[in-house]
Amino acid sequence: MSMTVNAELAARFGLSAEEYQKVLDIMGRVPSLTELGIFSVMWSEHCSYKSSRVHLKTLPTKAPWVIHGPGENAGVVDIGEGLAAVFKMESHNHPSFIEPYQGAATGVGGILRDVFTMGARPVANLNALRFGDPSLPVTRRVIDGVVRGIGGYGNCVGVPTVGGEINFHPAYNGNPLVNAMTVGIARTDKIFLSAAAGIGNPVVYVGSKTGRDGIHGATMSSAEFDEHAASKRPTVQVGDPFTEKLLIEACLELMATDAIVAIQDMGAAGLTSSAVEMAGKGGVGIELDLDKVPQRETGMTAYEMMLSESQERMLMVLKPERTETARTIFEKWDLDFAVVGVLTDTARITVRHNGRTEADIPLAPLADEAPLYHRPLVHTPPPGRIGIVADPVGIEHALLTLLACPDLASRAWVWNQYDSGVGGQTSRRPGAADAAIVRVEGTRRGLAMTTDCTPRYCQADAHAGGAQAVAEAWRNITATGALPLAVTDNLNFGNPEKPEIMGQFADAVRGMGEACRALDFPVVSGNVSLYNQTSHPNGISTPILPTPAIGAIGVIEDVTKAVGLAMPEGCELVLIGEIRGELGQSLWLREICHREEGAPPVIDLTAERRNGDFVRRMIAEGRVEACHDIADGGLLVTIAEMVMASGTGCYLERPHFGTSLHAWYFGEDQACYVIATKQARELIDAAESSHVPVRHLGRSGGDALVLNEGMKLSAERMREVNGAFFPKLMER
Amino acid sequence: MKAGIVLFPGTNRERDMAQALRLVSGRDPVMLWHRDTSLPQLDLVVLPGGFSFGDYLRSGAMGAHSPLMREIRSFAERGGHVLGVCNGFQILTEAQLLPGALLRNAGMRFLAQEHFLRVETADSPFTRDWSKGDVFRAPLAHGDGNYTAAPDVLDRLEAEDRVAFRYVSAQGQDDAADRRCNPNGSQRSIAGVLSENRRVCGLMPHPENLVDPDLGATDGVPLFSSLVKSLVA
């Protein structure tokens, strides 16, 4: 293709006519190809958040325990004992459809770098995955590649993959979602930031060599997919977890010295965004000499080097007198180390290559005049509540159908490919508790972590769905006994230029903000992925379900006090919270009645807070043997999962009806927990005196789930039904 | 017991191993770098898990040629004790300090799950705190754990009581043909083996991840307490 810089090329690089005019105004001339490339990636949706920024600003980001909120590479939260949790979630959706293994693997690699860049040793990975219709061959191919990619990268770098979630829906057929989260631990007095400082200080490149992979990746992820998606395969980067592991160790070794002034990983838009952001944040200029950049291929142009998204690379500003110390460390780890530039007082980014100036851009306007859109939006009115729905199949059949369905089936086939124990601190493995728990090395503390979102709720009512995603994450952390601290969000939506999509986005963010405020659960980092939309040959374009995935962390002071799903014999089962029998948008309605209808369950944030605080207090007082929140599938699925986790059965009394039996058992009411306790009397008294709704449900024992109404299902049988889906789909 | 842990580029279970050794022996191990050309005075050398050199060639093949491996070989020849876990086991077979090879798992997928091992001999410095026939839990985390050797090598291992551990079901049954018992397809369900002098041991699973009661299980403790008993005297 012709590379003559003009409005047409700018359009191909994803800049609108107005945006290109702005470039001309800033430069006062026609930009060079490299300059146009720099503008186009910095102003891409992916890097500039131009459609989402006005809404993101409304989210609460502060709390006394927040050390760094959004704006840094990752969020930083105080977890006590002089330590901080550093965490973020990020999407790698588009690459994961084009090339599932590498897309998912480099997603993990990228988020790891965001965390260790700040001085934290990564201690856990999680993910949030959405796939299309499992009966399609393409879905199987994507699942296989994504799971292998996440495992291949995480297992090799030696960071345990401890949690995550998976949903299926045909809306993700052509656009699966791969959201990866990393949590790291750092000392609160050793957090590294990206703002460059010190005119004359050297700019140092470390890690892998630069190749031609991933050029314009940020632009690709800012456009819709069409039937030619596969032709974009060359824009997907290739990951090397071995080099990443060396990079982690080398960076942490260097960070133990005082050599680093600023550090930033080269993520989306590679050298361009790291150089521009570091200099921009520090209010200094930067001069890069591309002849010094370690290169994997010959004959690379300045444009290619500035836009390459080769993986496992970092940019640092060092104290000049410590440069040799740093070089020694990186050479010990067999990593490239090159001084590629210097900080200047020009407030410009200057790029030289082969004796020529290839780019010379004033930094302030590149950042300050980045486009910001108040895109038109249309709110979708939420559906009305569904009326009474008769039970067509009976409780036993419905339970077995739900346990077998793709959204509830056991994920063991997936987890068993992820090393969840490396590091030697994993306390609760995937599936053992509502949140994963990893001990903080050298302390008794545990970090509880989860990822959550219910896209079908968001599709019906984005506002309620946004709030529910936050509330469920908070609840999952609470159910282990940990105190929820903060949130990272990964907002996956369709094309923001369509007003109804922008409406979904705005509503979901509003709902999230309300829940975060009510639960003292600030957002400290995040990522937005738009244009998750597939254009079909017939001209129709379909969006994904709105998916504001929430990653969250909490802390428990004594990891041995945390509780999971498995209950011993001889417990009383107690319900905390109120079941009204919310069948709208429930899995029961979808899987049994084949209807995706109605309003999602009501979110009552006051009840959420009250019930959760009570549950956490009971766990802290040692009154709880096991705890599980009610979520997808409702009360009976919750209890079935506890039975399957422990192998211990239970007997449930006949419920007091305010509702029909199936609505009681399968309604997806919020703010509810099932607790197994050996101190039922005390717990119920405490609930009543705290005005927390409480009800005795039954008792544990035997090896089957037994209902007063006559159903009896053994743990073994339920495990068999629950465990069949993934192996049958993937190993045939 | 003075232990040293060997670090290769790509090693990733050294912290787990150090924690286990510390917890059971009460002493901090020393960390050794693969490029070192001499060994300090040690009772035990441990090659921990990970992906040395990325395992981009054959698992363990590059690690086996590191400078420190020459020292470890002569340490073993002098009767020193060497433990290799997971990637460490792979390196020991590549270095021919232990017989056999570890091929890709039979199912062609990475296996990361808790599984069961049976102790096949209590007659070794690594297993004396168990009884023959004991069944214990141990996490698996490997892509290349399928133990393979020529039939005469396997016969000899069995004849000389050098099979240390076998993969079994929770009930302790071994069945090499059944992946529920023998998940990676290892020949004769072999999970760990001993050298001729019984002082070099390699195994694929990770007992070092099950030693801390605060994290819920202590199935792996006897491996380390056996070593402490053998090497403190």
Side-chain angles (χ1 to χ4, degrees), chain A residues 110-296:
Chain A
I111 195 64
L112 279 163
R113 283 192 294 285
D114 277 332
V115 166
F116 72 76
T117 280
M118 299 196 73
R121 176 173 285 279
V123 298
N125 282 331
L126 295 91
N127 52 68
L129 311 177
R130 320 283 162 191
F131 299 118
D133 178 350
S135 68
L136 298 177
V138 63
T139 302
R140 282 177 56 208
R141 181 183 73 88
V142 172
I143 296 172
D144 185 69
V146 166
V147 171
R148 283 182 195 272
I150 290 172
Y153 208 99
N155 298 344
C156 181
V157 294
V159 176
T161 302
V162 297
E165 57 166 354
I166 300 172
N167 285 142
F168 293 89
H169 195 281
Y172 304 107
N173 280 352
N175 197 129
L177 302 183
V178 174
N179 298 170
M181 171 172 165
T182 294
V183 183
I185 294 173
R187 274 172 46 188
T188 52
D189 60 353
K190 286 287 265 183
I191 305 289
F192 289 82
L193 304 179
S194 56
I199 309 301
N201 276 350
V203 176
V204 173
Y205 169 119
V206 297
S208 286
K209 293 181 182 1
T210 295
R212 288 192 171 93
D213 47 336
I215 292 172
H216 262 306
T219 315
M220 175 185 78
S221 59
S222 305
E224 284 185 23
F225 265 0
D226 55 25
E227 68 271 31
H228 306 302
S231 70
K232 292 183 173 156
R233 199 162 283 151
T235 58
V236 177
Q237 314 85 326
V238 176
D240 175 4
F242 169 60
T243 299
E244 179 101 334
K245 171 67 174 162
L246 304 184
L247 198 55
I248 293 175
E249 298 305 331
C251 285
L252 292 177
E253 195 172 324
L254 181 60
M255 284 162 168
T257 74
D258 63 345
I260 299 176
V261 177
I263 179 166
Q264 162 110 16
D265 68 301
M266 294 191 222
L271 195 49
T272 292
S273 71
S274 53
V276 167
E277 283 174 22
M278 289 176 83
K281 278 185 191 166
V284 296
I286 190 166
E287 192 177 301
L288 296 177
D289 178 357
L290 297 186
D291 297 331
K292 305 273 174 58
V293 168
Q295 294 161 49
R296 199 166 60 213

Side-chain angles (χ1 to χ4, degrees), chain A residues 121 144 148 155-156 158 240 242 245 332 334 413 416-419 421-425 439 441 444 731, chain B residues 9-13 15-16 19 33 35 51 53-54 56 108-113 141 209 212 214-215:
Chain A
R121 176 173 285 279
D144 185 69
R148 283 182 195 272
N155 298 344
C156 181
D240 175 4
F242 169 60
K245 171 67 174 162
K332 170 188 155 189
D334 295 322
W413 180 89
N416 286 348
Q417 298 179 59
Y418 301 155
D419 188 344
V422 61
Q425 305 297 339
R439 185 172 60 185
E441 197 175 342
R444 289 184 71 79
E731 301 288 344
Chain B
T11 294
N12 66 25
R13 260 188 163 85
R15 300 162 82 83
D16 315 41
Q19 173 171 274
W33 183 238
R35 279 203 206 114
F51 290 70
F53 297 91
Y56 288 143
M108 303 303 277
R109 287 185 191 279
F110 194 91
L111 284 171
Q113 63 199 53
N209 279 131
D212 190 342
D214 284 355
L215 296 178

